[in-house]
Amino acid sequence: MTAPHDDERRRAELVTALGSVRARIADACAAADRDPNTVTLVAVTKTYPASDVVTLVQLGVHHIGESRDQEASAKVRDVQALLGDTPAPAWHFVGRLQSRKCRSVAAYASAVHSVDRSELVDKLARAIEANGRPPVEIFVQVSLDADPNRGGVPVDAVADLADAVAARQQLRLRGVMAVPPLGTDAEAGFARLAEISRAVRDQHPEADAISAGMSDDFEAAVKHGSTHVRVGTALLGRRRQIFS
Ligand SMILES: *Cc1c(COP(=O)(O)O)cnc(C)c1O
C-alpha cells in the first residue's frame, strides 16, 4: 500500500499532466481549425498501475490504451474491482497482437488499433462471436516503411484487409492507424496516412477514424486529421521498460 500522501501527490501529477495534454490538443485543434471534440484522447497506461487508470477515469478519461495482453488483462480486472459501480473505461489494444492472444484481447478490448493481417481478423471475429460481446472497433495498422518487424500491413494490402474487416459483423471497421517509422519525418508519415485514410473511406465511408500521434508528435497528427491520439509518456511520465 502507498501512503495517502503519495496517492495525493500522484493524483496531483496526473491532474497537471492531463491539463497540459488537453491544452495541447485544444491548441492543435485550434491551429488546424478543428473541433476538439473530434479528437479522442487514448491514455496509454502500459507499465503503470491500475490505480493510475482509476485516477484518470475519475478525471474524465474514458479511453485507456494498453499494448501487452498479459499486463492488460490483469489490469482490466484490477481497475474494475477498484472502480466498483463507476463505469469502466473503453479499453484500446494498441500494441502488436499475437494471434494466440486474440481470444484474451477480445474479452476486454472495445477497440484494437493494431490489426495488420487477416489471421487476426479471423481470430478476433471468432472470439467475439463466441463471447457474445458487442462488435469490436478495428483500426487497420499500416506500415509506412514496410518494415515487417514494426507491425502494420504494407500500403498496397490495406484495401484488402479493410474489406476483410468490414465483412465481419463481429468487427466494426473504424479506420487506419500508423506509427511513423523511427528517424523519419513524422509529419510526412501522418500526411501519407491521411491519404491512405481517404482511399479506405472511398470504399468504406464509415471508417472515418485515424489513430495517429503519440506524446512527442500528436500536434502534427491532429493537423493531418488524427481522431485518436495515443498518449502515454506525456500523461503518466517516462516508462522504465523499453517497449518496441
Ligand atoms: C506506448 C505506445 C504509445 C504511447 O507512446 P508515448 O510516446 O509514451 O506517448 C502509443 N502507441 C503505441 C502503439 C504504443 O505502444
Side-chain angles (χ1 to χ4, degrees):
M1 286 303 285
T2 50
H5 63 270
D6 287 339
D7 292 348
E8 287 301 310
R9 193 184 317 150
R10 181 58 173 158
R11 185 182 178 86
E13 278 175 5
L14 292 174
V15 167
T16 303
L18 180 59
S20 96
V21 167
R22 283 189 171 142
R24 284 176 57 191
I25 292 172
D27 288 349
C29 286
D33 202 15
R34 294 183 54 193
D35 176 351
N37 293 318
T38 63
V39 177
T40 297
L41 171 61
V42 180
V44 180
T45 51
K46 63 191 182 199
T47 79
Y48 286 96
S51 56
D52 281 351
V53 177
V54 168
T55 301
L56 289 170
V57 170
Q58 289 167 343
L59 295 173
V61 176
H62 301 301
H63 298 270
I64 302 294
E66 285 285 333
S67 63
R68 286 188 174 184
D69 173 62
Q70 197 178 356
E71 178 185 352
S73 52
K75 205 178 293 183
V76 167
R77 281 194 297 275
D78 292 347
V79 165
Q80 201 47 63
L82 288 166
L83 280 174
D85 290 338
T86 305
W91 292 92
H92 295 244
F93 192 85
V94 303
R96 296 209 60 190
L97 181 53
Q98 295 169 280
S99 55
R100 64 190 172 84
K101 299 290 191 182
C102 284
R103 205 152 61 95
S104 175
V105 168
Y108 58 82
S110 49
V112 177
H113 292 235
S114 46
V115 168
D116 62 0
R117 53 198 194 276
S118 58
E119 185 187 17
L120 300 180
V121 175
D122 293 340
K123 294 232 154 88
L124 286 169
R126 241 181 289 149
I128 296 295
E129 180 158 40
N131 70 20
R133 293 185 68 228
V136 171
E137 299 186 356
I138 300 293
F139 293 79
V140 169
Q141 183 177 352
V142 183
S143 170
L144 296 171
D145 63 354
D147 176 351
N149 293 319
R150 293 173 39 84
V153 64
V155 174
D156 63 6
V158 169
D160 283 350
L161 190 55
D163 288 349
V165 173
R168 300 294 188 133
Q169 64 187 36
Q170 298 85 4
L171 308 178
R172 179 172 163 232
L173 179 65
R174 208 55 186 87
V176 291
M177 177 275 212
V179 181
L182 288 171
T184 65
D185 175 9
E187 180 156 358
F190 297 137
R192 179 92 179 92
L193 185 63
E195 280 171 28
I196 295 162
S197 168
R198 275 190 286 277
V200 169
R201 272 178 290 156
D202 280 346
Q203 302 302 315
H204 304 282
E206 72 287 2
D208 59 359
I210 299 176
S211 170
M214 315 199 296
S215 290
D216 289 338
D217 57 16
F218 69 71
E219 283 91 346
V222 166
K223 179 176 166 189
H224 291 283
S226 174
T227 61
H228 291 69
V229 293
R230 308 178 311 269
V231 181
T233 308
L235 281 174
L236 293 130
R238 205 171 280 287
R239 290 178 293 274
R240 299 231 174 94
Q241 280 167 259
I242 305 297
F243 276 76
S244 59

